[in-house]
Amino acid sequence: MTETFWGPWLAFGIAVVVAVIGAFLFTFIVAGIVKLALRKRPWGKMFVRYARRPFRAFVLIIALWIAIDGFLPLGAAGGDDASHTMWDTIIDRTGGIAAIAAATWLLIELVRFGTELALGHYRIDVPDNRIARKIRTQVLILRRVAIVIIVIIGFGAALLTFPAVQTFGTSVLASAGIASIVAGLAAQSVLANMFAGVQLVFSEALRVDDVIVAEGEWGRVGEITLSYVVLDLWDDRRLVLPCTYFTTTPFQNWTRSGSELLGAVELDLDWRVSTARMREHLKEVVAATELWDGRTVVLQVTEATGGYVRVRILATAKDAPTLFDLRCHIREEMVAWVRRTNPDALPVQRVLLTDGAGDASGDHVRHEDPTPTGQTEGLFSGSADAEARAAQYTSAIPVVTDGEASDRDPR
């Protein structure tokens, strides 16, 4: 009786041990063959690293499923045929779901391997990286989309293992009705952000490492997901914005077609400044610094009002951070030069002080009233010519004199 009871269980234990050992031997042999075949490929070790664990899990689950389904001694435990059928169903369903999960994990790791391999060929830590940033942004979004699709398919395949929900699982995977559900939910914020993220990437309006200005903040695009964009601001803060922000709100992209930029430095100086000498010194300043890219440097007087002369300096740099440093450097050097060599050009305010009695020297000029009423002559009043000009615009409007007004006034 004892041998009859323990014999099937001993065989079952041996089958499980053999399945585990066989699975590890099989994965070891496959790994050796793959390493041997890819030994001359630079990405061979990376492929093995990504695929090793999910592949081992998948093979081990299949081996245990076969061992348990074939050698589990249900008859030794007693029970009728209905209980045996129930246990067979549970084993098959559990093994199937576990195998689907392992296969899903394996596919996700293969997708990650493929995207990392693609990203390795496009570096963004080089000066001219516009193409690399575009490829990196698109690959990262495609990886997220692929992973989401794989997970949904895996979940649907797991549902198909349950007879009661096979109809539901089939509709999730193949029914055209799911299209109407997605279309109805697309107006919601979550899916709207997902579609906006895909639109941003493939329209190339925004890429990873782009320098942009959004919400009045300057920073680099650190990450683009299916729902939000992370900006690495210049002061080490992080600004997180939904993807729909960039499809509905204008923003500045300083690296859309290139990283080179033109910046301005403005100085308000006195009229006695020598712009010729200032222009010569500017050329010496930019020639002595590596911040200037050598393309453009211009000094111009753009304003001469309000008692000041406004001098604007335009200079170019290879990117936005370098341009900011170049502007600060030029501003500092030009201010120091004005103080050192041309102090008369420093901005000053002039105040003329006079007493109420007039000039004691007798040179004070008394202004006569140009009109009998003391009114200052203007464009449309104060003289006969001005009144004639005014009449051209008011001839259609009846003009009432003081005498006519008094006659019409009943009071």
Side-chain angles (χ1 to χ4, degrees), residues 345-405:
L346 295 175
V348 296
Q349 291 184 349
R350 296 178 177 85
V351 178
L352 181 63
L353 299 177
T354 60
D355 56 9
D359 191 355
S361 62
D363 295 334
H364 180 70
V365 179
R366 184 171 60 90
H367 296 281
E368 298 291 343
D369 289 338
T371 60
T373 60
Q375 180 182 1
T376 303
E377 181 178 352
L379 183 62
F380 297 107
S381 61
S383 67
D385 294 338
E387 296 293 344
R389 281 193 296 269
Q392 297 178 2
Y393 296 94
T394 60
S395 59
I397 302 175
V399 178
V400 180
T401 63
D402 293 340
E404 293 176 349

Side-chain angles (χ1 to χ4, degrees), residues 206-210 212 219-224 229-232:
L206 201 65
R207 295 166 298 213
V208 173
D209 208 42
D210 267 349
I212 69 171
R220 290 183 180 272
V221 178
E223 183 181 3
I224 300 178
V229 176
V230 179
L231 298 185
D232 300 334

